[in-house]
Structures are given as C-alpha cells and as structure tokens.
Amino acid sequence: MALHNFQGLNNGDEVDFESTWETLAASFTQIHTKNASLLSFEQLYRQAYKIVLKKKGDELYKRVASFEQDWLTEKILAKLKGLLSNALISGNSAETGGQTANERLAAGDRFLRELKTAWEEHQLCMSMLTDVLMYMDRVYCTDHRQPSIYNTAMALFRDCVLLSRITTSEEQWVTMLGVLRNIILEQIKMERDGDIIDKHAIKACIYMLEGLEAKDTSNGPEKLYSSAFEEDFIRTSHDFYKAEGETLLRESDAGTYCRHTKKRIDEELDRCRSTLSDSTTSKIERVVEDELIRNRMNDLIEMDSGVKHMVDNERLSDLGLIFDLNARVDSKKTDLTKAVQRIVVAMGTAINNAGAAASQTQPAPAPETDGDKAKTTVAGVANLLTVAAIKWVEDVLELKDKFDNVWSTSFRSDQALQTALTRSFAEFINAFARSSENISLFIDDNMKKGIKGKTEYEIDVVLEKAITLLRYIQDKDMFDRYYKRHLTKRLLMGKSLSTDVEKQMVSRMKIELGNNFTLKMESMFKDMTLSEELTAGYKEHVTKRGDPDPRRVDLDIKVLTSMTWPLEGMGASSESDEDARMKTIYPPAIERLKMGFEKYYSEKHSGRKLTWLANMGTADIRATFPKVPSKNGTIVRKHELNVSTYGMIVLLLFNDLPSGESLNFEDVQSRTNIPTNELIRTLQSVAVSPKTRILVKEPMSKDVKPTDRFSFNESFESKFAKIKVLSITSGNKVEGDRERKETEKKNNESRNHNIEAAVVRIMKQRKELSHQQLVSETLTQLASQFKPDVVMIKKRIESLIEREYLDHIDGGDSLRPLGPPAVRIESP
Amino acid sequence: MASSDPKSKLMIGMKEYAYNHLVVTMLTLTSLFATSKYSDMTIRCANRTWKVHRAVLSAHSAVFAKMFDGPFAEATSRVVDLEGNDPYSVAALLSFVYTFDYDDSEHDESAKLCPLSFNVQVYLIADKYDISALQDLAASKFKKCTTTGGVSNLGDFVLAVRAIYGWTKEDDTLRDAAVAFAWARTNILSPDSEELVQVLLDLPEFAVDLIKRATELSRRDVYHCPSCKKYWFAPPGFSGTGPCAIKTCAKARNDWSKCLVSLPRNTST
C-alpha cells in the first residue's frame, strides 16, 4: 500500500527506541575510538531523525548526555588520574619527594599535554556527534529550549573531569582543575625564573578554560578561566613581584632595576599572548606596574644609584628608563617631577652658594704694605668679583644645558617636566639676590669681549642664552636698572664691540618683555646717533669758521637726554650733585671749546639746557716728555695718553707748572673743583698706578691724602706710544654692598611709584573694587615687571587713601576713586 | 519558477545583466544535473541512482554539507544511500536543488501518490534535510491543490491528513492548510463518511483544530458583498474599509458596515 513508503515511516513501522539507541551508542563508541570512517552518516542521521520524529527526542538527549558522562568518567578521567603523582596533586614544590625540578616540569608537561589531548578529542568527537544529531538539535532542543548537545557535553567535561575530586588524604581533596591551576602557576613561576616550558600545552589548557562557563554563575556568566585561574594567577603574581621588587632594590642599581622592570613587563605581556589569555594582559600589566613601579618609584628615585646619581653621571638612557616607568603609571610623572625639581634646586643652590662665597672675598682687603701690590689687589678683587658673577651665569647656563639635554633625550620632551624644570630654575635663580646684576654683567662681558671673533650664529647663541636666563627673572625691574647702567657705560666709553649686536639684544628683549621695557634703551641708542651727528656738525661748523688753530681741541660730544640715562649711578657719588659738577673748573682751552659747543647747540635747539658731565668723559692728550739719553742718542719721547676728563684737567694743571715744582692735593682741588672722591680716584690713576705714573706723588703710597704733593714725572717711561690710563671705576663691575643697598632703595622707590600708578590705573578703569580684588589685580598687572610684595601694595593703597585719591565705599571694604582722578602718572 | 513575478522580486537590488546571468547559470546547473557532468557523488534510493554535485547539495542543506565534510563513510565512498525515503520525493528534492522547483503532477509510475500527499512527502523530506525553501515551496503547492480543486476524492485528503498529523508538530503550516480546506469543504466533512469519522477518531488533534477553527470563525463578522453577492469572514484586524475579501471580486468600498450580516451563521464562500 502507498502508505508503506511514507518517508519510511508509518504507524505500523514503530520505531524500537531501545534497539535504535543501541545502534547509535555502538556508533558513538566507534566515533570516540576514532573508527568513524566505516559509519554511514546518513544511517545515523536517519536513526536519530526517526527517534525525534517519534517524539522521543527528550530520551535521546538524555541518553547521549549519560553516554558522554560515562565515557568521560570511565575513560578520560581515569587516564588523567594515572598521570598524577602526589607531588603534582598537592602542588607543593617543597614536597617533591625526591623529584628534581626537571622531573616535576616533565610530569607537569605530560599532564598538560594529556589534558589538552583529552579536551581536543572530546571537542572533535562531540562535533561529530552533534553533526549526526543535527535533527535533534534543530527540532528537539529548539522546541524545548535545551542547550545544544555540544554545549551540554562541554559542560560535562567540566563537571566530570575538571571538577572531579581527587582525594589526597582522608579528609582532603582537590579538583582536577585545582591540580591544573597549580601546575600552570608553577610552570609560569619556573619560566619567570628562566626555565623553558611548553607554552603550547598551557595555552591549549587555558583555551579550554576560556571556552567553559564557570559552574556557579550567580554573578552573571563567567568563564572558568577567570574564576578558576586568573584570580589565583594575579594573586600569586602580586606576591612574586612584591618579593622581586624588594630583592632588586636591595641588590641592583637603579638602571638595572629599570631595565629589569621593562623586561618583566614585556615578558608578562608576551606571556599573555603566547601562554595565557589576552584578556589578562591589562591585569598582569597592572600587577607588575603596581609592585615594581608604583609602590617602588619613590625608593627607586631616592636610591644611591637613583635619579641624582644618573643626573650627576649623565646616565641619559637610565633616566629615560625611569621616565618611561614613571610615565607608565602616572601621566603627571609626579615622583620624577618632584625629584628632578629637588635636584635642580639643590644644584642651583650650590651654584648660588659658590657665587655668594666668591662675593664674600671683597670685604677682606689685603693689609697692604707695598702700595703697588695693594692697588693691584684691589683692582684684582673687583675683577675677580666680575669673573665670579660671570661664572655664576655660566654655571647656571651649563646647568640649564645639562637639564635641557636630559629633558629632550631622557624625558622625551615632556611638557609637565618642562614646566617643572622652568619652575625650579626660576626658583633658585630668583633666590639669588644678585641674579639680575649677574646676568646683566654677563651680557656686558660678552658685549665687550665675549663676542669678539664669533660668527653671527655663535653670537646668536649667546644672546639667546642671556634671554633664556632673563625669562626666569622675576624682578625684571632690577635687571632693567642694571642693564641700563651697564649699557650706558658701554655706550659712553665706547666699550661695545658692535652696536649691531647691542641693538639685536635690545630687540630680543623687546620681543620677550614688551615695548615698555626697551623704550628707554632705544632712545639711548638714538641719543648716540644724534650725538655723532652733532659731533660731525660741530666739527664742520668750526672748520667753516676758519679757525686754523693747530692746537685746537677736537670734541667728541655725547648729548644725553636727562631722564633716559641712569646717570645717578655713573660713578658720581651722592656728594657730586648738580652744583659740584657745575663748578668744575676747566682749563681755558677746554672752557672755550665748551662755550663754543654750547653756543652751537643752543642755535640748533633753543631752550635746552646742557649739563656737562666731566666724570663721564675721556680725553686723548699728546704729551711730550723731556729728552733722555738712550742707545740711539737722545730721543723726544712722545706719548698719546688716554685719560678721563678729570684726568685731563688735572694733568693740564701740571703743563703750566715750571719744572721741579709741585702741587699738593688741596691745590689741585681748589684749582679744579673736582669732587674729592673723583679727584682721589683720578690722582690714583695718574700718580699711583704703576704703569701710568705720569705724576709723582710724595710720599709714595697707595692712598691719596690731602697732604700729598704731586709733580710731573719727567722720567716717565713706557714702551707704548699710546697709553691708556685706566680709571679705577671705569669698567662695569659688581656692586659693593653699599651700592647695592642704594640700588635696592632706588628700585623700591620706583616700585612704589609703579604700584601707585597701577592702582590708580585700575581704579580709573574699574571704578569700584574690593580691597582684595584690587591687590590681586595689581599683582597681575605688575607681574611682567616684578613680583611686588603684598605688604608694599597695601601700604601704597593706604597712602593713596590718605592722600584722598581713593576712598572706602560707605566705610566698607570696597574702594572707589575719589573725584575726577587727579593722579598724573609719571614715568619713573 | 512558481512565483507569479519572479523577476520583480529578484530584481530588487540587482542589476539586469546580473539577473540575466543568474538565469543562464541556473539553466547551466540544470543541464549539469541532466548530464551528470562534473558530478562527484552518487545518491541511491530504492532502485534509482542520481549523479550529483556535492557543492550544490551542500549549498542547500547543512545536513548534506556535514555528511560530506566529516570523517564518515560517505565522505570517502561518495555514495549516499537514502534508503527508506520515497524515491519520488528524493527526485523532487534533487530537482529543487538544481532548478528551484519540482513537478507535483500525477506520476505515471505505479506507486504514485496523489499531488496532495506527494507535496506532504516533499514537505517532510525538506524538513529532514533542513531545506526550508523547499518546505515553503511544498507547502504552497499543497495549498494550491486544496484551493484549485486538486482534491478529487476524500481518500486522497484523508491520506494527506493522516500524514500531516502523523509527522508534523502543532501549528504547522500544512495543518492549518488542511483544516482550512476541510472547513471550506463542508461536504467533505459529511458525518456519513466512515473514513472521515475514523480519521477524527485516529487523529484527535485534527478534530481539535477543526473545532478551534469553527469557534474562531463564529466570533468573526460576516459581510455580504453587494457586487459579487458572496459572503465572507472579516479577516483579522479588518477596519471596515477596503476591498472585498473574495479575491475574484476585490471590489473596494469605503464603508462595509451596511453589508454586515446581522446574525452570525455558518456560510460557505
């Protein structure tokens, strides 16, 4: 009948479940014993299909699971257990029972490989079973929400093999999983200690753990890997690296430590890739970072061979390693930053101390016996001080170069460390009272000598260095004061090697510190140019008048705008005020010249008043000394003397004096009206200085006393035709303590003025501000010039209130300007 | 190509040259089947053999794919014995994998089945080898038989119903189709038919489905179309507007409420 053929299924053709199952089970055994090649897929498939179609899917499913359970327990587990020695089970390497490490390693390897094989075969067989049981999975499992037979079988491997208990003693047991974990952990430890292990076997077992869900998944789905292995791995790694960190710190130097740490991190990352799981990478990295870096960074930096040692010995690559380690755990590099700051400040302070020590040489003038010697000593001391000042700058620059190098090479040009370095340099530079003066002296020295024979590029480097240091200076106004003073001397005495370079320097400062800062310096240069024109113009004027006097005196004049130039500090001491200068008595020839120029000048610029600053000038004099006998007969000795203007005035006195006569100090003073101090200095330069003794002092000594007598030195001798008579204070030198106090006092006065100006400017603009706001605004406004003392600002505000420029609003804290602001802002 | 307008469906997102090429390729496949060219395996069933291509079968069926892929005997012998299957159904399956269609018209062979049962056969073999497209095709061919009068006698229908309720699960497409057909042809359900009574006794699920259908329909509104003069049940979610449910009429009306038949009663369409 037709029904008979209905898909081979009809009501009469009852499926005998038991016999069908027996056939299937026999085939499954074949599959497990790798004898599948004789089995017909179609037959197996059809049998399973029929069972499921007959609504026996549930029974089939259970039978398969139970078949696998038996197989795993009886065959696989038994085999694996046979490989376990007691030592492997206990996982305690101390109880090796005579086993060598190598034997242990080999036993562990065998176990791992066997487990790997068992797992892989289980997977392979189950995938074949699943293929044959495809209809069951598709129809029965889907309809009854059962996991696929494959997944169930994998879970069975976990439950029957991995989680099976192995009894070690009467009351103790471990799971197979525990044994596996211990073996892997032990092998990893061996690898860390330098042994070679079978990574593939471990990787395969790890892969298995990753593929299996943990059984107790109360906290959501979790892989067996994380619950049964990873946690322990991380914990033991913490212990391992903690101990290693301690040992390393004790036994190695910092460089080795860094290299080792780097190596360890790389090893662990590599281990995650090759042996464990990528998902552990970040966790183990964190462990090594914690134990070897984060918890040890401070010790590492502070150890004897730490950062200080590295900086001192230029261990740039080691420093780089430290930086890398620190950066790895801390984006701000806090530990390293602090250490570097401390080191910079310490090294800087050492330079400061050396600088201060050098300046202490001054107040110990050698008790003199011999005048000559004593004099050179005084000049020498002043020179030494200048040298010390310049050395300070050079030392700072060297330190800066050193750390720039460290920064760019070792610290990977890191922004945070740059900021820290800048702050530290500023800290110690500003802590040094003479930094402004020294930097200015450094520039002065370069302008006068340093840049000689240098290429444009080299000069550029020098200028840039000076600017670099200038950036650190907080009290720019002090520097301004010194720089203008030093510049004045260079310009007036023609000491600058190159006006171009001077101008370059000023324009650099302009870029760095703004227009206001260099305004006056620029007008100083303008004065210089105008003066040249005036000198030339006057010369022409004189020539035109046709005064062919061969003894005419040439005039090289510098007309200085009075408020622009810092003349108060120019060697003129407090007593040489306006009056004293006015009264200087010039020799007739010079007086004529002076009158002539004044007339010429007032024709050009009416209404301007000229004040002559004899203390600033120099004169070239041709002097003829009496004939003296020599090898080649007698010769007239002519020398060209370069002396200060005062020197000229004094020497000219002796021109008219009959041979053999002398003048005493008071005579000279009354005839010249040169201020006492200046006169003493002048006489020292022409009568005491050993090489320029144009006058003879009686008695001969270093000091010039009012009772000394002076006469023309007829027997003066010199190898040179041109002789420069050095004025004792002519060069730019380090200030003495008294001068320094004076400078500071002046600076404070101008600061007071600046503060008041700023306060009034702010109040005019803001109309109303609280006291505190006003102070902070004032600080901000003045930051580019100097860092004012808050007390100073408060005093100025009080003073302004007292003088009724400001008023408290309703007696409160807020302030307002009073009336139409009547403050005229004067420039200092 | 059973679908009314295969081209329009295939053309979605397909360039015309590609469509044309597809047709040519399918024809080539058909000829490969016919000539056994490049065939790399044999299928046996009853006394028939077919030379086929593993690649083609694997592309349609995961079961065949695994059968050739694994380490089982078929992979090396390259012979599959589909014993126990109806050879006509196997032929239909093979026809489908090469041409996407099969012929369900009456066979000349002695052991032939009526088209109704044959489609059920194909439906079941498609399920066995996991070719859902063939299942869909068989189901649609089955429905076509029931609606176009392909059922000539009660015996054929009963045979099909037995097969359907014997080997499919609840809510199967074929069960729905069989019940719908049985309900529509109330004449088939004549209680005089002993054969039918026996089926209802044998297949209680079939009886249950029939009753469910009856109660479900009795809750629905019945409309009388003024155009074609036929009665029809409101389809689920009917909103009172739209075309007449009788496909041959399909006259659209804005408001069917006037055509609502006040008393629900059993009506044949």
Side-chain angles (χ1 to χ4, degrees):
Chain A
M1 97 184 244
L3 259 182
H4 182 76
N5 246 350
F6 222 98
Q7 280 304 106
L9 300 160
N10 62 55
N11 296 349
D13 182 21
E14 268 304 331
V15 180
D16 180 1
F17 180 84
E18 287 306 327
S19 68
T20 311
W21 166 248
E22 257 171 48
T23 327
L24 280 176
S27 304
F28 290 171
T29 311
Q30 301 265 52
I31 289 174
H32 276 296
T33 50
K34 300 178 193 166
N35 279 323
S37 59
L38 294 174
L39 300 171
S40 160
F41 180 94
E42 166 64 24
Q43 274 175 22
L44 298 177
Y45 183 80
R46 187 189 316 138
Q47 278 153 345
Y49 168 75
K50 280 184 190 169
I51 292 177
V52 175
L53 215 53
K54 276 289 172 190
K55 311 271 190 294
K56 295 265 174 58
D58 186 44
E59 183 67 19
L60 177 62
Y61 190 88
K62 281 180 188 151
R63 291 287 182 98
V64 176
S66 140
F67 175 89
E68 286 303 321
Q69 190 167 355
D70 292 348
W71 183 269
L72 288 170
T73 315
E74 285 160 24
K75 302 281 161 83
I76 308 298
L77 183 61
K79 189 171 182 187
L80 287 171
K81 271 183 178 172
L83 288 168
L84 293 176
S85 65
N86 280 338
L88 277 182
I89 294 170
S90 69
N92 188 344
S93 51
E95 291 174 29
T96 48
Q99 266 187 318
T100 67
N102 272 340
E103 281 166 357
R104 265 183 88 69
L105 189 62
D109 266 352
R110 254 195 319 280
F111 175 79
L112 290 177
R113 273 200 296 272
E114 205 55 55
L115 183 61
K116 163 183 185 271
T117 312
W119 167 249
E120 283 169 0
E121 279 177 4
H122 182 62
Q123 281 181 306
L124 184 71
C125 293
M126 279 322 297
S127 91
M128 288 167 70
L129 253 63
T130 307
D131 287 350
V132 168
L133 299 171
M134 207 190 281
Y135 195 80
M136 179 182 79
D137 264 348
R138 183 157 63 85
V139 175
Y140 165 74
C141 295
T142 315
D143 286 356
H144 294 82
R145 297 179 192 282
Q146 287 282 355
S148 85
I149 189 68
Y150 184 86
N151 289 347
T152 303
M154 294 304 119
L156 282 174
F157 189 90
R158 174 194 67 204
D159 298 342
C160 299
V161 177
L162 295 179
L163 297 181
S164 71
R165 295 178 180 194
I166 300 160
T167 321
T168 50
S169 63
E170 278 178 35
E171 289 184 354
Q172 285 187 312
W173 50 268
V174 288
T175 60
M176 194 63 105
L177 188 59
V179 174
L180 171 67
R181 177 181 55 222
N182 288 343
I183 290 176
I184 297 179
L185 289 179
E186 195 186 339
Q187 297 218 346
I188 286 173
K189 188 172 178 308
M190 286 177 175
E191 191 183 42
R192 281 177 183 152
D193 291 340
D195 284 330
I196 292 180
I197 59 170
D198 185 352
K199 294 178 179 179
H200 295 294
I202 297 179
K203 179 79 186 171
C205 294
I206 292 291
Y207 198 64
M208 169 184 77
L209 296 182
E210 277 188 304
L212 291 170
E213 299 273 331
K215 195 164 188 183
D216 176 25
T217 51
S218 47
N219 321 325
E222 193 186 13
K223 295 294 178 194
L224 207 51
Y225 173 75
S226 14
S227 70
F229 177 78
E230 198 182 37
E231 280 171 26
D232 286 298
F233 171 66
I234 295 299
R235 187 175 44 74
T236 52
S237 299
H238 261 297
D239 297 344
F240 176 83
Y241 282 114
K242 190 172 186 184
E244 177 162 283
E246 269 165 28
T247 320
L248 264 179
L249 271 184
R250 207 167 46 235
E251 293 172 1
S252 322
D253 63 51
T256 312
Y257 187 98
C258 291
R259 274 184 292 276
H260 186 80
T261 302
K262 179 86 179 57
K263 189 180 118 219
R264 280 302 197 196
I265 290 172
D266 290 345
E267 270 175 18
E268 290 299 338
L269 297 188
D270 191 52
R271 179 169 298 117
C272 284
R273 250 192 318 275
S274 68
T275 317
L276 302 176
S277 160
D278 283 333
S279 63
T280 308
T281 309
S282 60
K283 294 175 195 159
I284 188 69
E285 190 178 5
R286 172 90 196 183
V287 169
V288 186
E289 282 172 359
D290 275 349
E291 295 299 347
L292 291 188
I293 308 175
R294 216 169 265 120
N295 299 346
R296 305 278 178 197
M297 200 67 214
N298 211 31
D299 295 340
L300 180 62
I301 286 169
E302 295 304 325
M303 64 198 281
D304 289 342
S305 54
V307 173
K308 177 87 173 72
H309 174 83
M310 292 175 183
V311 169
D312 289 346
N313 295 288
E314 297 274 327
R315 293 273 166 79
L316 293 184
S317 65
D318 286 359
L319 279 172
L321 287 171
I322 294 235
F323 173 83
D324 289 344
L325 292 189
N326 202 183
R328 182 180 265 282
V329 299
D330 177 9
S331 62
K332 289 183 188 149
K333 281 80 61 179
T334 319
D335 289 328
L336 182 59
T337 307
K338 275 188 194 154
V340 167
Q341 280 188 304
R342 224 164 33 235
I343 292 169
V344 169
V345 172
M347 292 175 97
T349 310
I351 294 174
N352 287 351
N353 290 344
S359 68
Q360 290 307 308
T361 337
Q362 192 176 32
E368 46 19 273
T369 41
D370 181 88
D372 284 7
K373 212 169 187 181
K375 192 162 187 285
T376 38
T377 318
V378 168
V381 164
N383 247 331
L384 273 178
L385 285 174
T386 312
V387 169
I390 291 164
K391 180 166 177 356
W392 178 85
V393 174
E394 278 167 353
D395 285 351
V396 172
L397 283 173
E398 196 188 323
L399 192 66
K400 166 91 175 116
D401 280 348
K402 184 185 180 84
F403 277 96
D404 276 353
N405 190 22
V406 168
W407 177 72
S408 62
T409 312
S410 309
F411 297 163
R412 324 291 183 228
S413 301
D414 181 75
Q415 197 64 46
L417 273 151
Q418 188 182 37
T419 315
L421 283 172
T422 307
R423 198 173 300 137
S424 307
F425 270 92
E427 185 183 328
F428 82 79
I429 288 174
N430 284 307
F432 191 56
R434 289 175 184 270
S435 49
S436 289
E437 188 185 1
N438 286 359
I439 293 169
S440 180
L441 278 171
F442 170 77
I443 299 171
D444 186 64
D445 182 63
N446 271 297
M447 288 298 180
K448 289 194 295 201
K449 307 185 279 212
I451 59 172
K452 200 169 199 168
K454 280 193 170 137
T455 63
E456 233 170 82
Y457 173 75
E458 286 167 331
I459 291 171
D460 232 38
V461 171
V462 172
L463 298 187
E464 187 52 44
K465 279 179 173 174
I467 289 290
T468 308
L469 289 182
L470 190 50
R471 273 185 207 132
Y472 293 123
I473 292 286
Q474 216 164 47
D475 294 340
K476 303 274 197 295
D477 57 343
M478 281 296 266
F479 175 79
D480 177 51
R481 200 165 282 276
Y482 284 114
Y483 193 77
K484 276 198 292 217
R485 197 182 294 169
H486 294 153
L487 177 62
T488 300
K489 282 214 175 168
R490 287 204 296 282
L491 291 180
L492 294 187
M493 298 185 173
K495 291 283 176 59
S496 261
L497 288 173
S498 159
T499 314
D500 266 358
V501 178
E502 289 279 9
K503 284 182 176 165
Q504 270 181 45
M505 187 71 213
V506 170
S507 63
R508 271 166 190 270
M509 288 188 207
K510 188 172 180 173
I511 292 167
E512 199 62 35
L513 304 169
N515 278 343
N516 272 348
F517 192 80
T518 51
L519 218 55
K520 289 200 173 161
M521 296 178 196
E522 277 163 359
S523 67
M524 281 160 80
F525 284 111
K526 201 188 275 167
D527 277 357
M528 293 303 288
T529 318
L530 286 177
S531 297
E532 265 172 41
E533 283 165 14
L534 272 174
T535 305
Y538 181 64
K539 204 173 211 167
E540 200 182 322
H541 168 76
V542 171
T543 321
K544 268 192 196 150
R545 278 217 326 223
D547 180 3
D549 184 358
R551 297 184 52 165
R552 182 166 46 86
V553 180
D554 281 339
L555 177 67
D556 182 5
I557 187 88
K558 306 270 189 277
V559 179
L560 316 178
T561 314
S562 61
M563 290 306 282
T564 304
W565 298 69
L567 296 172
E568 73 281 349
M570 298 307 307
S573 57
S574 50
E575 52 191 291
S576 75
D577 51 15
E578 203 83 340
D579 286 73
R581 256 189 241 139
M582 290 279 284
K583 281 181 196 159
T584 305
I585 300 166
Y586 294 95
I590 305 301
E591 187 63 29
R592 270 202 305 283
L593 181 71
K594 188 179 151 220
M595 304 278 276
F597 181 77
E598 273 175 3
K599 191 159 169 273
Y600 170 78
Y601 188 79
S602 62
E603 277 165 13
K604 293 202 124 189
H605 309 277
S606 64
R608 289 196 190 170
K609 190 179 157 215
L610 287 172
T611 306
W612 294 79
L613 299 173
N615 57 324
M616 307 295 297
T618 59
D620 293 328
I621 312 169
R622 268 190 290 277
T624 313
F625 292 89
K627 295 171 184 172
V628 289
S630 84
K631 292 178 245 167
N632 314 329
T634 58
I635 48 161
V636 176
R637 293 175 301 129
K638 283 189 175 173
H639 291 285
E640 203 163 283
L641 305 176
N642 175 268
V643 292
S644 68
T645 306
Y646 282 143
M648 170 196 71
I649 296 169
V650 170
L651 288 181
L652 286 181
L653 282 180
F654 291 88
N655 216 15
D656 303 332
L657 206 68
S659 171
E661 286 193 25
S662 63
L663 294 170
N664 70 8
F665 181 85
E666 276 157 358
D667 291 337
V668 175
Q669 188 167 30
S670 66
R671 288 190 192 193
T672 58
N673 233 351
I674 295 171
T676 316
N677 267 3
E678 291 282 347
L679 186 55
I680 291 171
R681 265 193 282 251
T682 308
L683 286 171
Q684 273 178 335
S685 66
V686 295
V688 181
S689 249
K691 285 183 182 153
T692 55
R693 237 172 255 173
I694 300 149
L695 299 181
V696 179
K697 188 167 88 77
E698 197 62 42
M700 188 58 227
S701 70
K702 187 208 151 208
D703 285 336
V704 174
K705 296 189 182 74
T707 51
D708 288 346
R709 299 196 66 82
F710 299 89
S711 58
F712 184 56
N713 181 5
E714 292 188 351
S715 56
F716 177 80
E717 272 185 62
S718 177
K719 285 180 274 182
F720 306 104
K722 283 189 178 177
I723 299 163
K724 193 168 174 68
V725 180
L726 288 170
S727 169
I728 298 209
T729 53
S730 68
N732 279 326
K733 295 222 169 68
V734 177
E735 282 183 322
D737 284 346
R738 205 169 57 82
E739 292 169 287
R740 158 159 294 274
K741 286 218 176 76
E742 190 70 17
T743 308
E744 271 170 10
K745 200 179 126 206
K746 290 221 171 84
N747 202 48
N748 277 343
E749 279 166 17
S750 81
R751 276 186 186 187
N752 281 342
H753 194 94
N754 274 335
I755 293 170
E756 283 189 6
V759 167
V760 170
R761 211 160 42 231
I762 292 163
M763 289 312 294
K764 254 174 121 176
Q765 193 193 359
R766 306 288 294 269
K767 304 294 181 217
E768 189 182 321
L769 272 180
S770 78
H771 197 274
Q772 202 185 344
Q773 282 170 316
L774 180 57
V775 170
S776 76
E777 281 240 2
T778 310
L779 278 168
T780 322
Q781 278 228 353
L782 294 172
S784 66
Q785 302 171 48
F786 58 94
K787 194 182 169 203
D789 193 14
V790 175
V791 177
M792 204 184 232
I793 297 178
K794 285 186 174 160
K795 272 191 187 156
R796 282 355 286 162
I797 295 174
E798 286 311 308
S799 162
L800 284 168
I801 293 170
E802 237 165 64
R803 286 178 282 153
E804 301 191 335
Y805 287 109
L806 297 176
D807 187 22
H808 285 292
I809 296 174
D810 305 329
D813 187 42
S814 293
L815 294 164
R816 66 165 175 233
L818 255 189
V823 177
R824 195 166 61 85
I825 302 161
E826 289 167 22
S827 42
Chain B
M1 298 297 137
S3 176
S4 56
D5 187 6
K7 192 165 174 177
S8 71
K9 280 192 178 174
L10 275 168
M11 280 299 283
I12 295 168
M14 202 176 201
K15 296 271 187 274
E16 181 152 13
Y17 72 86
Y19 173 77
N20 292 339
H21 185 68
L22 184 70
V23 172
V24 173
T25 310
M26 274 168 45
L27 291 173
T28 313
L29 267 182
T30 312
S31 80
L32 283 182
F33 179 51
T35 61
S36 304
K37 199 171 181 187
Y38 306 133
S39 71
D40 54 2
M41 68 167 300
T42 306
I43 286 185
R44 283 201 198 122
C45 184
N47 297 320
R48 298 181 64 178
T49 56
W50 295 267
K51 297 278 184 194
V52 293
H53 307 83
R54 284 185 296 169
V56 177
L57 258 67
S58 300
H60 284 273
S61 159
V63 179
F64 283 116
K66 293 288 183 191
M67 188 187 292
F68 306 138
D69 188 38
F72 293 98
E74 286 89 342
T76 39
S77 68
R78 303 281 170 88
V79 176
V80 181
D81 198 341
L82 298 180
E83 87 182 59
N85 285 296
D86 166 38
Y88 299 103
S89 309
V90 173
L93 184 148
L94 293 176
S95 162
F96 178 79
V97 298
Y98 284 95
T99 67
F100 299 94
D101 202 1
Y102 66 91
D103 183 9
D104 67 343
S105 61
E106 303 227 8
H107 305 277
D108 295 331
E109 269 83 4
S110 53
K112 68 188 174 188
L113 286 166
C114 71
L116 206 57
S117 293
F118 182 66
N119 284 324
V120 175
Q121 274 285 39
V122 175
Y123 184 86
L124 292 175
I125 200 171
D127 172 55
K128 179 177 177 184
Y129 291 103
D130 197 10
I131 310 174
S132 58
L134 178 57
Q135 263 188 295
D136 292 346
L137 179 60
S140 92
K141 278 180 188 276
F142 176 87
K143 280 180 204 161
K144 206 172 175 188
C145 289
T146 60
T147 52
T148 56
V151 186
S152 48
N153 61 64
L154 182 63
D156 284 353
F157 180 69
V158 166
L159 191 64
V161 167
R162 281 188 187 280
I164 290 167
Y165 276 84
W167 312 121
T168 63
K169 295 173 290 179
E170 289 157 39
D171 299 327
D172 192 273
T173 326
L174 291 188
R175 290 191 180 191
D176 284 352
V179 170
F181 173 75
W183 188 254
R185 296 291 186 85
T186 35
N187 55 333
I188 287 182
L189 293 177
S190 151
D192 305 337
S193 163
E194 270 181 42
E195 215 174 354
L196 186 65
V197 171
Q198 192 57 47
V199 167
L200 289 172
L201 287 174
D202 287 350
L203 304 171
E205 285 175 296
F206 179 53
V208 169
D209 284 352
L210 276 175
I211 293 164
K212 273 187 188 162
R213 175 106 185 153
T215 48
E216 189 206 337
L217 283 178
S218 70
R219 289 202 194 99
R220 291 214 215 146
D221 288 336
V222 176
Y223 290 92
H224 182 249
C225 175
S227 307
C228 65
K229 311 289 181 201
K230 283 183 179 164
Y231 292 96
W232 44 270
F233 288 102
F238 182 67
S239 61
T241 60
C244 169
I246 307 302
K247 291 227 165 57
T248 47
C249 166
K251 170 119 178 120
R253 303 187 80 86
N254 283 332
D255 187 7
W256 282 94
S257 60
K258 281 179 197 155
C259 311
L260 186 64
V261 180
S262 50
L263 284 174
R265 56 190 158 115
N266 285 342
T267 319
S268 72
T269 52

